[in-house]
Amino acid sequence: MQEKFSAWLVPVVLCTLCGPALAADGQAETIFTNGRIHTLNPEQPEAEALAIRAGVIIAVGDTDTITATAGPQTQRIDLGGKVVLPGFHDMHVHPLFAGVRQTECKIEQGSTLEQIQHEVQACIDRTDTGGWITGGQWDAHAIGQIPDRSMLDTISPKNPVLLSDTSGHSAWANSKALAIAGVTADTPDPEGGIIERDSGGEPTGILREAAIMLVRMHVPPHSYEALRAALEWSMNQMLSHGITSFTEASTGFVAGMTREVKLYADMADAGMVKQRVRLCLNWEPGNAELEAVIADRNLYARTNVATDCIKIFLDGVPTDSHTAAMLDPYARPMEGRSDDASRYGMLLVDQDVLNEAVTRFDRMGLTVKFHAAGDAAVRAGLNAFDAARTANGFSGQLHDVGHCTFVSREDLPRARALGVTFEVSPYLWSPSPINDDISKEVGDERTRRVWPVREMIEAGALVVPGSDWAVVPSVNPWIAVEALVTREEPGGSAKHFGKEQAVSLDQAIRLFTVNAAKHLGMADKVGRIEPGLLADLIVLDRDPYSIPVTELHQVRVEQTIINGTPVYQAK
């Protein structure tokens, strides 16, 4: 069957540039037959075949019925028993960052101090004296302690080094980098950031949240060509995993907001953006560049690139940094600190300021996406959405609270009542170094409810998934599907993370398809396989509904199709 299937696919890929064949009125341009199609349409859950015309699904049914829609010009593809699903949606991803990260100093998550020093030394050996070493990722739990600049100084006295932790909310700088940035004992903590200091008040080299920019702003910018290559690489990676639409959750983080939205627009004009893309613009009070881009947003928008989303960071992460805003104090104190931020985390925006901003964006027709890891941040976000609904009524914008690592039970029903989406991060749910860190800092009792997706669904909330790639090593959604179902390591493990919040396989797949389409306001176009919807499809190498759940991470995409046109074919 494999040979028969591949033989049909090769000409499909070769004809991508010449467009679909022209068929007579009423006839299909392409038909797929002899497959197993999971439609996610409750009225017709499974089918053998489907027909496409002008990028739209015109019929779904058995092979004989669909074959009848074909004419002499119709391209006929025998699936040979292969499985078809709707295209997947990644609702929180950082593709430009992921692409740029490939060119930086890469450190495997969970590396020890010795392993990190070895990798950094190798990067120094490939870099001119005085050149910047940037990259990541490091985990305090794996190192065995919160690191300091001296650990980098021993191997890099002449090259400035700035390494992100796994979350991206903390950075580790050496003395050379701090000196270039002018960060000293006299440097005050910036608003929304922390410079960690030793007992003598000297910077340790660990920078939290907004303090990272004190050093990062001195790193030489990437060229336009490098950014374009990085984004192209990442989008192709996502196509290979069946991701037919995505939300860039932090536009402006890598190269500045104007450069990044222009990059997407230019690449869309060049036909290089295949997916449907939403860009979320990073917000902070008084940011003149943001206001300029918002004013020009429709000049940058394209048919498949939306510029209608605002990203607001409400807090940090519940790791050793203690920057996620929590309703109850962290289980462990921070060494050398006893302030409220070390005990309860950091809420980065005053509630009144937040309410005013969200109400304004809602009135403008812009969708707001929050970063909210702690339950206090989630509550602040819901409060802001409540203020916007009170002021504006229901605007139609399905705003979302992103990450939702911890959510109070009291706040779960509010999402449905407010018409708000919970966006969760299932790629992070299996046991891992960063989750070991979270358990250690927050405590086992609260960790039992970490990422409470089962409770969210039971509360009637709309729930969608995001990878947060490149915070995670892979953008493959099947790793996340398995984690949603098992909350264990890929392949199964005795150790688990939030097992009580596991959901069914069908629920997990619907988060990536049906639910994501609803949130994007595109339920009439994508998310299911039925007549009248756009032909965004993925062909798989096995049936996820027929294999052990511990094998879901092994599912591979053999073909990705957007608007009826093949955009990826596995070799």
Side-chain angles (χ1 to χ4, degrees), residues 264-337:
Y264 272 97
D266 289 347
M267 293 181 70
D269 291 341
M272 300 172 69
V273 180
K274 308 300 182 185
Q275 292 102 330
R276 309 177 201 283
V277 181
R278 167 177 272 176
L279 304 181
C280 292
L281 311 174
N282 279 350
W283 175 87
E284 59 183 34
N287 186 318
E289 183 183 21
L290 169 66
E291 293 301 328
V293 172
I294 289 176
D296 291 339
R297 63 189 180 277
N298 287 316
L299 296 176
Y300 297 113
R302 298 295 185 267
T303 301
N304 59 334
V305 177
T307 54
D308 61 349
C309 177
I310 303 296
K311 171 70 172 291
I312 300 178
F313 286 87
L314 294 186
D315 67 346
V317 288
T319 61
D320 62 285
S321 67
H322 287 202
T323 54
M326 304 295 290
L327 293 172
D328 296 311
Y330 283 85
R332 279 168 40 93
M334 290 187 76
E335 185 176 349
R337 285 179 55 193

Side-chain angles (χ1 to χ4, degrees), residues 392-463:
N392 301 333
F394 182 69
S395 63
Q397 305 305 309
L398 295 182
H399 307 295
D400 72 87
V401 185
H403 296 310
C404 302
T405 315
F406 295 97
V407 183
S408 167
R409 284 191 175 93
E410 299 174 12
D411 288 326
L412 289 169
R414 299 181 67 194
R416 178 169 179 169
L418 292 170
V420 168
T421 302
F422 283 132
E423 178 245 291
V424 294
S425 313
Y427 299 67
L428 293 166
W429 288 356
S430 60
S432 64
I434 190 172
N435 288 336
D436 289 341
D437 199 8
I438 291 174
S439 299
K440 182 179 177 182
E441 302 300 328
V442 176
D444 292 338
E445 183 61 32
R446 276 183 286 181
T447 301
R448 290 177 61 185
R449 287 190 63 251
V450 68
W451 281 293
V453 64
R454 177 184 57 78
E455 294 179 15
M456 292 173 179
I457 293 173
E458 290 174 352
L462 181 63
V463 184

Side-chain angles (χ1 to χ4, degrees), residues 194-197 208 320-323 333-343 346:
I194 295 172
I195 303 168
E196 295 290 359
R197 305 170 195 270
R208 311 290 192 184
D320 62 285
S321 67
H322 287 202
T323 54
M334 290 187 76
E335 185 176 349
R337 285 179 55 193
S338 59
D339 56 309
D340 283 348
S342 69
R343 297 177 62 235
M346 301 171 61

Side-chain angles (χ1 to χ4, degrees), residues 27-100:
Q27 294 179 349
E29 291 168 355
T30 306
I31 62 170
F32 290 83
T33 59
N34 297 317
R36 186 171 185 183
I37 300 171
H38 296 292
T39 67
L40 304 185
N41 174 8
E43 297 179 0
Q44 186 184 19
E46 291 193 12
E48 293 180 333
L50 62 88
I52 301 170
R53 179 181 177 84
V56 176
I57 300 167
I58 61 170
V60 179
D62 59 64
T63 293
D64 290 342
T65 300
I66 298 304
T67 300
T69 68
Q73 301 295 322
T74 300
Q75 189 169 40
R76 302 163 186 254
I77 299 175
D78 189 331
L79 289 165
K82 293 292 179 179
V83 172
V84 179
L85 279 171
F88 274 33
H89 308 257
D90 191 331
M91 306 301 289
H92 187 128
V93 65
H94 308 284
L96 185 57
F97 174 55
V100 167

